[in-house]
Amino acid sequence: MEKFEGYMFTALCSTNFLISCLLFSRVTREQREPYMDEIFHVPQAQKYCQGKFNEWDPMITTLPGLYLVSVGVIKPVVWLTELTGEVVCSTAMLRFINLLFNCGNLYLIYLLLCKLHLREKMRTTSRRVLSALSLSTFPVLYFFNFLYYTDAGSTFFILFTYLMTLYGCHKASALLGVCSVLFRQTNIIWVAFCAATLVAGKMDDAWRVEHTKKRDEKSAPSQIPLSFSGAKRILLFTLEFLTSPNHVKAVLLVAWPYALVGVGFLVFVALNDGIVVGDRTSHEACLNFPQLFYFFSFSLFFSLPVSLCYHRVLRFLQALKKQPLFFLLVTGISLLLVWKFTFVHKYLLADNRHFPFYVWKKLFQRHELVRFLLIPPYIFAGWNFLDSFKSRSLFWSLAFLACLVATTVPQKLLEFRYFIVPYLMYRLHMPLPSLPRLIGEFLLYTAVNVATIYIFIAKTFHWPDSTATQRFMW
């Protein structure tokens, strides 16, 4: 069975790479010159290829991880093949680096699925392989495999970091976490998540021991009490755990590599006077709480074939009936957050090359009340999201939600690329769906990929004050 799974996975990897190469060739022929953010990334990488490591474009806001990896891959290839001229570190060659990351992401997703769903190993061969293939073609991520952006590499190192955490290789995980931060500074949140899973494991054990003594089986670690008394108990337990020298010592013994990364990042922030390098005017943090609602809606759409079913909708309606006061409170808080904490970035209103521009224009700008009328769908999307985590432990779920809030809420710009890692983490931890549902998911992703790549290639346009060809993209 394992040998058959290996053959099947290898065949799918090869097919995926071949199709991606064909698409890459078409995209590169149509858009030979750097496009959008590539106008900053490509020249900077080419400077690194020329050994000019002390030159930096002040418009770039991320650290140089992508350029360093690109040089580390391209230079040995150039030396071995004796390539010369313009092809060396050309736009096409730099873009190809992300196609290699795509292969790595497919393999890492497969390994993570094997590790996370270990108990189901004998019954889920085809489902694991198809899940990995489907998630590697997740549309927002897959699209940027064909351009020189940081997303493919950033995702690769975060997935690799988390895989090493699951295998207990915490020093390697912390080192890979540093690499992920070099691609995108906000990845420090997911490095913290890896450490938080260790803390959550210790807290789950302590919670289980405490409530076993009390013979209170209703407070199982996998359940989140939706009540004020339950929340109070959790808060008191957390404070007690974090102030216990024995518990803190036990956590630090395993999590110290992540703590070193955290300290190093704080030093960087202090020396840099902030997280962003380069141009900071367009990357100001704020409390944009509706970003969480946008993410829930985004997740509901892309997980629709694997997460939504009649029984889940029925459970939601039953929950509304059983806890009307709780849902009224959630609705009231949501109204307040949408009313007082909705921020709109200038790029969202001005740049008509991005799909979020049209989402905002066609939906949110139709009427000022639209953002409030969307609250009931937001609540259902959030409930559906949380219901998918029923099999996960209480403190793991809280750690994930904390990191989700930290990675989405401070962002002023509605940018679907920022949802890639949290969505993949969400989808990886869902129970493995049935084969028909996975086929539905793969078909949805394929349809979206075909549509977005076709639109990017074929539906070009021009601005009135520019002769440059403009294209639609995520």
Side-chain angles (χ1 to χ4, degrees):
M1 180 62 74
E2 289 185 2
K3 186 176 288 188
F4 170 73
E5 183 175 359
Y7 289 146
M8 183 165 61
F9 182 73
T10 302
L12 285 175
C13 279
S14 302
T15 305
N16 175 275
F17 183 67
L18 175 61
I19 293 172
S20 297
C21 283
L22 294 173
L23 289 172
F24 174 84
S25 176
R26 181 61 191 275
V27 169
T28 301
R29 281 202 308 271
E30 294 292 334
Q31 183 61 48
R32 295 181 181 275
E33 298 302 314
Y35 184 67
M36 287 291 290
D37 290 3
E38 285 186 321
I39 64 173
F40 307 115
H41 294 309
V42 169
Q44 186 62 54
Q46 290 171 343
K47 288 178 182 177
Y48 274 43
C49 280
Q50 297 164 8
K52 300 176 181 178
F53 295 102
N54 60 335
E55 294 187 20
W56 184 259
D57 185 342
M59 293 301 293
I60 295 174
T61 59
T62 53
L63 294 169
L66 177 61
Y67 320 129
L68 292 171
V69 170
S70 299
V71 172
V73 172
I74 289 173
K75 282 295 185 179
V77 172
V78 168
W79 179 74
L80 287 170
T81 57
E82 298 182 354
L83 289 172
T84 56
E86 293 183 358
V87 70
V88 178
C89 284
S90 63
T91 302
M93 184 175 281
L94 290 170
R95 287 173 178 171
F96 193 79
I97 297 296
N98 280 341
L99 218 56
L100 300 179
F101 277 128
N102 175 53
C103 296
N105 285 330
L106 172 57
Y107 188 52
L108 288 172
I109 289 169
Y110 172 72
L111 293 177
L112 282 164
L113 287 166
C114 290
K115 186 66 177 175
L116 290 168
H117 304 282
L118 193 60
R119 294 178 182 177
E120 307 169 72
K121 188 173 182 180
M122 299 306 295
R123 299 182 288 111
T124 57
T125 298
S126 57
R127 286 191 284 161
R128 282 201 309 272
V129 172
L130 186 54
S131 285
L133 178 65
S134 180
L135 289 178
S136 72
T137 61
F138 175 56
V140 185
L141 174 62
Y142 190 70
F143 181 89
F144 288 101
N145 291 329
F146 307 113
L147 298 175
Y148 193 60
Y149 273 60
T150 60
D151 300 276
S154 170
T155 303
F156 173 85
F157 281 106
I158 282 296
L159 293 177
F160 207 169
T161 299
Y162 189 45
L163 182 68
M164 291 297 99
T165 300
L166 293 178
Y167 275 100
C169 303
H170 301 301
K171 295 175 186 175
S173 178
L175 184 60
L176 289 164
V178 172
C179 295
S180 74
V181 172
L182 289 176
F183 274 73
R184 186 170 291 166
Q185 293 92 304
T186 52
N187 282 341
I188 191 66
I189 296 167
W190 297 106
V191 178
F193 169 72
C194 292
T197 59
L198 302 179
V199 179
K202 299 290 185 184
M203 292 180 73
D204 283 327
D205 292 340
W207 176 274
R208 189 180 295 110
V209 168
E210 180 178 322
H211 289 82
T212 299
K213 290 178 182 178
K214 295 178 180 179
R215 297 182 180 180
D216 185 4
E217 296 188 3
K218 292 182 180 179
S219 299
S222 61
Q223 296 176 339
I224 300 178
L226 290 176
S227 66
F228 294 110
S229 61
K232 182 181 177 182
R233 285 164 57 196
I234 294 169
L235 181 60
L236 290 174
F237 174 80
T238 303
L239 290 173
E240 181 184 344
F241 182 92
L242 295 177
T243 54
S244 168
N246 290 335
H247 287 145
V248 172
K249 181 181 177 182
V251 167
L252 286 176
L253 283 174
V254 291
W256 65 265
Y258 306 101
L260 288 181
V261 175
V263 170
F265 187 78
L266 290 175
V267 171
F268 158 74
V269 171
L271 294 176
N272 188 55
D273 195 26
I275 293 177
V276 178
V277 296
D279 179 31
R280 304 185 185 194
T281 56
S282 301
H283 295 81
E284 297 173 350
C286 63
L287 290 177
N288 193 2
F289 286 104
Q291 283 277 24
L292 201 56
F293 303 145
Y294 309 149
F295 173 75
F296 287 148
S297 305
F298 174 91
S299 299
L300 178 62
F301 174 77
F302 281 108
S303 69
L304 206 60
V306 295
S307 71
L308 197 62
C309 63
Y310 168 76
H311 296 292
R312 181 163 285 174
V313 174
L314 191 62
R315 284 203 305 273
F316 175 70
L317 295 175
Q318 289 171 346
L320 281 175
K321 187 177 179 180
K322 288 180 180 178
Q323 297 175 310
L325 292 177
F326 173 77
F327 282 97
L328 278 174
L329 177 64
V330 170
T331 303
I333 293 172
S334 301
L335 282 166
L336 177 65
L337 295 178
V338 169
W339 178 35
K340 291 293 186 182
F341 294 94
T342 296
F343 293 89
V344 184
H345 198 285
K346 59 183 179 181
Y347 289 171
L348 183 61
L349 300 175
D351 196 338
N352 64 346
R353 294 170 294 181
H354 288 289
F355 295 146
F357 170 88
Y358 297 95
V359 172
W360 197 264
K361 181 180 178 181
K362 300 295 184 181
L363 184 61
F364 291 93
Q365 288 188 319
R366 278 188 176 273
H367 194 278
E368 60 181 10
L369 292 178
V370 167
R371 57 185 178 138
F372 299 106
L373 294 175
L374 288 172
I375 287 175
Y378 289 158
I379 291 173
F380 173 72
W383 185 90
N384 182 73
F385 182 87
L386 294 173
D387 193 61
S388 302
F389 284 145
K390 287 195 306 182
S391 60
R392 295 293 155 184
S393 72
L394 167 62
F395 294 103
W396 185 96
S397 300
L398 292 175
F400 179 80
L401 289 174
C403 291
L404 174 61
V405 170
T407 199
T408 55
V409 169
Q411 303 285 356
K412 189 175 183 179
L413 178 63
L414 173 57
E415 172 70 88
F416 294 145
R417 292 188 299 132
Y418 300 156
F419 295 162
I420 291 173
V421 173
Y423 178 81
L424 288 178
M425 287 292 186
Y426 157 66
R427 179 59 184 79
L428 284 167
H429 288 90
M430 284 176 57
L432 277 177
S434 64
L435 204 56
R437 285 180 171 274
L438 286 170
I439 292 171
E441 179 186 53
F442 180 69
L443 291 175
L444 172 64
Y445 289 1
T446 301
V448 175
N449 281 325
V450 168
T452 51
I453 293 172
Y454 170 76
I455 290 170
F456 180 81
I457 291 172
K459 301 297 181 179
T460 59
F461 67 101
H462 292 85
W463 286 337
D465 58 347
S466 172
T467 58
T469 299
Q470 306 300 334
R471 302 178 186 274
F472 299 104
M473 60 187 291
W474 287 105

